[in-house]
């Protein structure tokens, strides 16, 4: 499974990436061995993710997410929580 994800860093900033091992990547980030951006902003928390069939799809979505403003990302994150509540509610 290929995943595009957004992390909330300890300083409140957002980091966007992609991986084919989400759990492992989160552990790597929080161990200080992930991206240089997150290394000085630990711990990080997963706040949003989307799964894709291919690496290329996940990388394309990451590219598009990185171009969103912070406010647009926050709306996306908030909307994902509402969708999850509807799916399980």
């Amino acid at each position: 499974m290929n995943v595009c994800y957004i992390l909330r860093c300890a300083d409140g900033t957002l980091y966007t990436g992609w991986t084919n091992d989400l759990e492992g990547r989160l552990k790597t980030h929080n161990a200080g061995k992930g991206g240089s951006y997150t290394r000085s902003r630990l711990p990080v928390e997963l706040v949003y993710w989307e799964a894709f069939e291919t690496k290329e799809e996940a990388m394309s979505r990451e590219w598009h997410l990185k171009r969103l403003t912070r406010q647009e990302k926050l709306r996306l994150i908030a909307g994902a929580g509402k969708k999850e509540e509807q799916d399980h509610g």
Side-chain angles (χ1 to χ4, degrees), residues 22-86:
L22 185 57
E23 185 177 330
R25 189 65 178 148
L26 290 173
K27 287 179 183 176
T28 300
H29 274 296
N30 277 313
K33 298 175 183 172
S36 59
Y37 183 84
T38 60
R39 203 168 295 140
S40 63
R41 295 169 169 85
L42 298 176
V44 297
E45 170 192 11
L46 178 67
V47 292
Y48 182 83
W49 64 274
E50 295 178 34
F52 298 92
E53 290 291 320
T54 67
K55 165 177 105 170
E56 291 77 17
E57 289 173 307
M59 291 173 73
S60 175
R61 181 60 171 155
E62 175 195 23
W63 185 89
H64 286 93
L65 288 178
K66 284 185 172 184
R67 275 137 191 84
L68 296 178
T69 66
R70 176 178 173 79
Q71 288 305 314
E72 289 169 331
K73 289 177 187 175
L74 291 173
R75 282 195 293 273
L76 181 66
I77 294 164
K82 290 179 183 175
K83 182 183 182 305
E84 187 174 300
E85 288 173 12
Q86 290 170 356

